[in-house]
């Protein structure tokens, strides 16, 4: 995989470079701010960008704004955002538009190398990868709204795992239920969220967007 990374922390930036190169990936450039990231993406046209949310000069949302620019102008480039904290608005905003090739992980997840690399590969392959803690907080935020409040606890578990980008088989394995049970819960979720079957849109994606964007 051809990658560009952006983080103002030298230690984390160099650590990511070493980790990714040891795994056989090619790090084309490493930036320390949003402008540098956008320039690197324009120059190298990578497969994916790994981006910190908060970077110079204000350390607020420079990384996010750069990530959103990449998503809008170069949708073929996957974007995996790293954040120190769960920032709900940012996670929901990233999914606005095309909900593919995007991920949002807490920085602690980088220490869990296998999970981090799996998320990066999933995003680069066209999927989505959201930190379980991010998903839990976003899902909890929507408990006051209908029709999400109509979901059973098990259906909410399934939706949470869908939002992390897991397949039906992976959800079944994680929840210790059968594949047919997962499929039944997903169909119930679609019905309760009033998501009619249509060839234009993926009901799975719309279900995730419904609670992340509400």
């Amino acid at each position: 995989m051809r990658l560009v990374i952006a983080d103002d922390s030298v230690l984390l930036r160099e650590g990511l470079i070493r980790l990714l190169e040891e795994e056989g990936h090619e790090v084309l450039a490493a930036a320390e701010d949003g402008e540098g990231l956008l320039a690197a993406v324009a120059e190298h046209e990578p497969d994916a960008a790994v981006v910190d949310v908060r970077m110079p000069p204000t350390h607020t949302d420079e990384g996010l704004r750069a990530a959103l620019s990449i998503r809008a102008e170069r949708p073929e480039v996957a974007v995996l955002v790293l954040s120190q904290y769960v920032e709900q608005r940012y996670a929901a905003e990233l999914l606005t538009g095309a909900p593919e090739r995007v991920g949002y992980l807490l920085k602690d997840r980088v220490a869990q190398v296998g999970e981090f690399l799996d998320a990066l590969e999933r995003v680069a392959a066209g999927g989505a990868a959201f930190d379980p803690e991010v998903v839990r907080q976003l899902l909890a935020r929507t408990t006051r709204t209908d029709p999400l409040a109509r979901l059973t606890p098990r259906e909410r578990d399934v939706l949470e795992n869908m939002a992390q980008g897991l397949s039906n088989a992976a959800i079944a394995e994680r929840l210790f239920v059968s594949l047919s049970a997962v499929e039944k819960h997903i169909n119930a979720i679609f019905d309760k969220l009033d998501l009619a079957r249509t060839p234009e849109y993926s009901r799975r994606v719309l279900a995730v967007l419904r609670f992340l964007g509400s």
Side-chain angles (χ1 to χ4, degrees):
M1 195 186 311
R2 301 169 67 253
L3 301 166
V4 166
I5 64 174
D7 197 296
D8 65 314
S9 167
V10 175
L11 288 177
L12 183 56
R13 195 166 65 238
E14 293 301 318
L16 283 173
I17 292 173
R18 176 173 296 184
L19 168 63
L20 293 168
E21 289 183 341
E22 286 178 352
E23 291 296 321
H25 301 302
E26 182 181 3
V27 179
L28 304 170
E32 62 181 19
D33 56 34
E35 290 185 3
L37 168 63
L38 293 177
V41 169
E43 177 181 355
H44 298 286
E45 300 182 353
D47 300 314
V50 180
V51 186
D52 184 18
V53 165
R54 299 183 176 186
M55 291 192 292
T58 68
H59 296 278
T60 55
D61 61 356
E62 283 82 1
L64 171 75
R65 287 190 280 109
L68 292 173
S69 294
I70 296 170
R71 297 263 293 151
E73 299 170 10
R74 300 178 180 273
E76 72 280 4
V77 177
V79 176
L80 180 60
V81 170
L82 303 179
S83 179
Q84 191 69 42
Y85 309 102
V86 178
E87 304 184 66
Q88 297 178 357
R89 177 174 63 85
Y90 292 163
E93 192 170 356
L94 276 172
L95 272 175
T96 301
E100 299 93 19
R101 296 181 176 274
V102 61
Y104 187 112
L105 297 182
L106 296 182
K107 285 189 173 181
D108 289 346
R109 194 69 55 184
V110 177
Q112 301 178 35
V113 175
E115 292 188 29
F116 168 69
L117 293 173
D118 177 70
L120 180 58
E121 291 172 3
R122 192 187 314 159
V123 168
F130 279 73
D131 194 285
E133 182 59 26
V134 174
V135 173
R136 276 193 290 272
Q137 292 198 26
L138 289 171
L139 197 56
R141 186 185 65 171
T142 63
T143 57
R144 302 182 299 275
T145 64
D146 288 328
L148 290 168
R150 301 186 331 209
L151 301 182
T152 67
R154 177 57 78 185
E155 289 164 357
R156 295 181 73 83
D157 288 341
V158 171
L159 181 55
E160 176 181 333
N161 283 277
M162 286 170 58
Q164 293 175 40
L166 298 184
S167 66
N168 289 4
I171 294 173
E173 182 178 355
R174 177 174 288 187
L175 299 181
F176 302 103
V177 298
S178 67
L179 180 59
S180 62
V182 171
E183 293 169 347
K184 179 180 178 181
H185 289 312
I186 290 175
N187 286 329
I189 291 169
F190 293 158
D191 289 341
K192 292 180 180 181
L193 297 184
D194 298 320
L195 299 176
R197 187 183 299 275
T198 171
E200 288 83 11
Y201 300 100
S202 163
R203 291 193 295 173
R204 192 182 191 92
V205 169
L206 291 176
V208 173
L209 286 175
R210 179 68 58 87
F211 82 83
L212 289 180
S214 63

